[in-house]
Amino acid sequence: MRKKKNRLITIVSVFLVLVLVIGAYFYVSYLNKKKQEAEEKKSSSASVTVTNFDRNKITKIDIKHDGIHLVLEKVKDKWIVNGINNPLYFDQDKIDDIAFSCAQMTAEKIADSNPKDLKKYGLDNPRSIVEATLSDGKKVTFYLGSETPITSTYYLMKKGDPKVYVVWTNHAENFTIKPQKLLSVKIPEIDTQNITYVKLVRKGQPTIEIKKVDEKNPKDNEWKYYIRLWNLVQPYSQPVGVASDKFSEFIENVPNFSPEDIVGEDVYNPKYGLQSPRIELIVKDNKNTLHLFVGNNVNDSAVYCKMADSKVVFTMSTYKTDFMNTIKPFDLIEKFAYIVNIDYVDKIEIFTKEKKHTLILDKKLIKKARSEEEADEYKYNFQADGRKIDEDTFKKFYQEIIGLLIDGENDKKPTGTPEVTMKFYLVNKKVDVMQYIPYNDDFYMVVRNGKSDFVIAKEQVQKVLKDLEDLVAGKYKPPEN
């Protein structure tokens, strides 16, 4: 009985030990599997460090690829290229980015820890060899291989390291950069709120030239009479006022200028069309000058360009430059036939074939302006052919005279007898003579001081003459707004 009992205890003990062994086996297997899964997950999700040091320690970068040899050297914190010591000529940020690839490179993963065949990675004959020299004389060398089956990644090795890494395309682009991509294009920033000068020259189209009126300049002083901020000095025979809203629409395109791609320095290459540019644009604010040349089209979406002070050719999207092709001088100007501030007019004589009328604008200064924001105050004595006219009525008629609006450009010489003449006698003893000479049955040529650039509908001028007769007769009724 005792023997049976001892045997039973032995069997149970063996069974328990067996269960514990089997349990331990599966538990260890489970832990190993979890560890492996964690390592695989970590390997697939975390980047791998290839290099990790301060890029400012790099003093030289030697790049060789596709028959190109670039030597980038740092001299007094500025990069020079192939011995050309003109830091402003090269894109310092782009070269710093290459240095960053050398100093702070991370890989997506390790493709092979101990490769037996470099050919399948394109590393038996590397696409590019890059050597970075540090300030302590140490050298770090990279070998760029072929593109991986996964788009936008490449194989790479580092000298002294047996592993083959998979790196992102930005490193590959830096290590296969072409010399022209290092060239710098500086497009000055223009403050559109402080524009002082614009000139647009185009083949086959009239030149547009605009100058800001400077009231502090004695030569520009009289232009304040004509209520202008800018004068269009080309292409018309005499300066014309620029419409502020149209000018703003035009000039707001300038800050959009930016290069799309750097082409090179061969400005004489006829395919660029920059020896005889299709467009030349000059824009000045109170600090900077932008001087751009536009050449031939690259394709439907880009054009070749260069800055006037640089030999670097670059491309720019056509949507950024198209506004220069389409703008017309007539689109930019104020459409007033003649406008002058009433405070600067002493007398107006209006002649027709039958009559002459004289308007007197007698005024007395009662309060001098104390700042540029204020205006002088006057007491007026208005007369029309000797008849006294109250201030409100006369000013409303004056608005009609200066409210005449041109309708288009004149393509004829101003010859013939004027049907209407208006002489404006200004306070500076200057006389502006406006003549309206028949252009055809419907329009007059607008002739200012003997020169004509525009036409105006006859009905506008005739309406002013009719209202003048009413003013003189004391029956004038101002037009309803």
Side-chain angles (χ1 to χ4, degrees):
M1 186 72 176
R2 185 181 295 275
K3 284 184 177 180
K4 282 185 177 181
K5 187 176 181 180
N6 290 339
R7 185 180 299 169
L8 180 61
I9 292 171
T10 302
I11 292 171
V12 171
S13 298
V14 171
F15 177 75
L16 290 173
V17 171
L18 182 62
V19 169
L20 289 171
V21 169
I22 293 172
Y25 170 76
F26 281 108
Y27 179 69
V28 170
S29 297
Y30 172 77
L31 290 178
N32 287 337
K33 183 179 180 181
K34 286 294 183 182
K35 183 178 179 181
Q36 183 178 353
E37 288 177 351
E39 288 178 351
E40 288 177 354
K41 185 177 180 180
K42 181 179 179 182
S43 175
S44 62
S45 62
S47 59
V48 180
T49 298
V50 181
T51 57
N52 184 18
F53 60 88
D54 185 359
R55 65 176 168 180
N56 292 318
K57 292 182 178 180
I58 298 176
T59 59
K60 181 180 176 182
I61 304 173
D62 198 291
I63 303 175
K64 296 177 182 177
H65 69 89
D66 303 312
I68 295 171
H69 186 190
L70 282 172
V71 180
L72 317 177
E73 294 181 89
K74 184 170 276 190
V75 177
K76 295 181 180 180
D77 295 326
K78 295 293 183 182
W79 292 101
I80 67 174
V81 180
N82 290 349
I84 301 175
N85 192 1
N86 185 356
L88 295 177
Y89 193 57
F90 300 106
D91 190 334
Q92 298 292 307
D93 292 337
K94 184 60 185 175
I95 301 176
D96 276 339
D97 193 45
I98 297 172
F100 183 83
S101 285
C102 295
Q104 299 286 320
M105 181 180 289
T106 56
E108 183 180 0
K109 64 179 181 179
I110 297 172
D112 198 334
S113 296
N114 190 20
K116 303 300 181 184
D117 180 15
L118 294 179
K119 186 174 182 179
K120 68 178 183 178
Y121 303 115
L123 288 163
D124 58 325
N125 183 22
R127 183 179 177 185
S128 175
I129 299 174
V130 178
E131 181 183 80
T133 302
L134 280 57
S135 55
D136 60 3
K138 182 181 176 181
K139 297 181 186 294
V140 182
T141 304
F142 303 91
Y143 305 97
L144 182 69
S146 58
E147 189 173 10
T148 74
I150 302 172
T151 307
S152 300
T153 56
Y154 288 78
Y155 296 115
L156 176 133
M157 291 186 76
K158 183 180 71 171
K159 188 175 183 179
D161 184 344
K163 295 183 284 295
V164 175
Y165 297 96
V166 174
V167 298
W168 288 279
T169 189
N170 63 302
H171 299 306
E173 289 173 353
N174 282 340
F175 287 177
T176 56
I177 196 162
K178 295 181 180 179
Q180 61 264 32
K181 300 297 183 182
L182 295 176
L183 297 173
S184 176
V185 174
K186 301 295 182 184
I187 299 180
E189 291 186 10
I190 295 295
D191 181 359
T192 56
Q193 301 302 311
N194 288 290
I195 299 295
T196 59
Y197 180 82
V198 175
K199 187 175 184 180
L200 178 62
V201 183
R202 300 164 295 176
K203 284 186 175 179
Q205 296 192 62
T207 294
I208 293 174
E209 186 175 11
I210 298 170
K211 292 181 179 180
K212 186 175 182 180
V213 173
D214 182 4
E215 292 188 11
K216 295 180 181 179
N217 185 340
K219 293 182 179 179
D220 281 1
N221 189 50
E222 72 173 32
W223 290 111
K224 68 183 179 182
Y225 296 5
Y226 305 111
I227 320 173
R228 296 179 184 175
L229 290 176
W230 294 280
N231 275 323
L232 182 76
V233 296
Q234 285 196 76
Y236 300 123
S237 62
Q238 52 194 323
V240 184
V242 176
S244 296
D245 58 337
K246 299 301 181 182
F247 181 68
S248 295
E249 290 174 10
F250 170 73
I251 210 66
E252 70 183 5
N253 292 282
V254 171
N256 296 330
F257 290 160
S258 60
E260 303 294 324
D261 191 25
I262 307 298
V263 175
E265 300 176 89
D266 187 11
V267 295
Y268 301 108
N269 190 325
K271 81 172 184 178
Y272 302 144
L274 290 167
Q275 280 184 284
S276 179
R278 184 164 50 89
I279 298 174
E280 178 184 7
L281 176 68
I282 303 172
V283 181
K284 298 179 181 180
D285 63 14
N286 52 358
K287 293 181 179 178
N288 298 319
T289 297
L290 182 151
H291 194 168
L292 174 74
F293 292 112
V294 179
N296 296 334
N297 279 53
V298 182
N299 47 44
D300 291 341
S301 60
V303 291
Y304 293 111
C305 302
K306 72 176 288 291
M307 303 306 293
D309 60 352
S310 171
K311 295 191 296 181
V312 178
V313 180
F314 60 95
T315 64
M316 192 151 58
S317 295
T318 51
Y319 80 86
K320 297 177 182 178
T321 61
D322 280 346
F323 75 98
M324 293 186 285
N325 294 313
T326 57
I327 192 70
K328 299 182 185 303
F330 195 76
D331 298 336
L332 289 170
I333 64 172
E334 293 176 339
K335 300 305 189 288
F336 299 108
Y338 178 82
I339 183 169
V340 62
N341 190 324
I342 193 172
D343 292 334
Y344 298 107
V345 182
D346 284 333
K347 182 174 68 172
I348 305 171
E349 292 178 341
I350 300 177
F351 302 82
T352 64
K353 291 180 180 179
E354 299 83 17
K355 295 182 180 180
K356 171 188 174 183
H357 296 287
T358 302
L359 307 178
I360 301 296
L361 293 79
D362 184 30
K363 51 191 173 292
K364 181 179 179 182
L365 180 66
I366 59 174
K367 185 180 179 181
K368 185 72 175 173
R370 291 174 295 181
S371 67
E372 291 184 0
E373 287 73 28
E374 295 181 353
D376 294 339
E377 292 184 18
Y378 296 91
K379 182 179 180 180
Y380 295 94
N381 175 25
F382 295 115
Q383 297 179 33
D385 290 353
R387 182 189 186 97
K388 187 173 182 179
I389 309 294
D390 69 86
E391 181 177 335
D392 183 62
T393 300
F394 188 93
K395 285 187 174 180
K396 286 180 178 178
F397 177 73
Y398 185 80
Q399 289 296 322
E400 281 196 63
I401 295 177
I402 64 172
L404 291 170
L405 301 177
I406 58 175
D407 291 288
E409 294 178 326
N410 179 23
D411 57 358
K412 298 180 181 179
K413 291 184 178 181
T415 57
T417 303
E419 289 189 358
V420 182
T421 299
M422 299 182 185
K423 291 185 178 181
F424 293 80
Y425 294 80
L426 307 185
V427 295
N428 64 350
K429 308 305 179 185
K430 179 180 177 181
V431 180
D432 280 330
V433 180
M434 299 297 298
Q435 295 175 310
Y436 296 91
I437 299 174
Y439 176 84
N440 57 25
D441 291 341
D442 299 313
F443 293 94
Y444 287 125
M445 288 184 278
V446 180
V447 184
R448 177 176 176 178
N449 298 328
K451 298 177 181 178
S452 178
D453 295 295
F454 309 106
V455 297
I456 189 171
K458 286 184 177 181
E459 62 182 0
Q460 284 195 69
V461 180
Q462 295 301 321
K463 174 68 168 59
V464 170
L465 294 178
K466 178 182 179 302
D467 286 347
L468 174 58
E469 294 295 335
D470 290 342
L471 181 74
V472 171
K475 298 184 296 184
Y476 175 68
K477 292 183 179 180
E480 294 183 3
N481 294 330

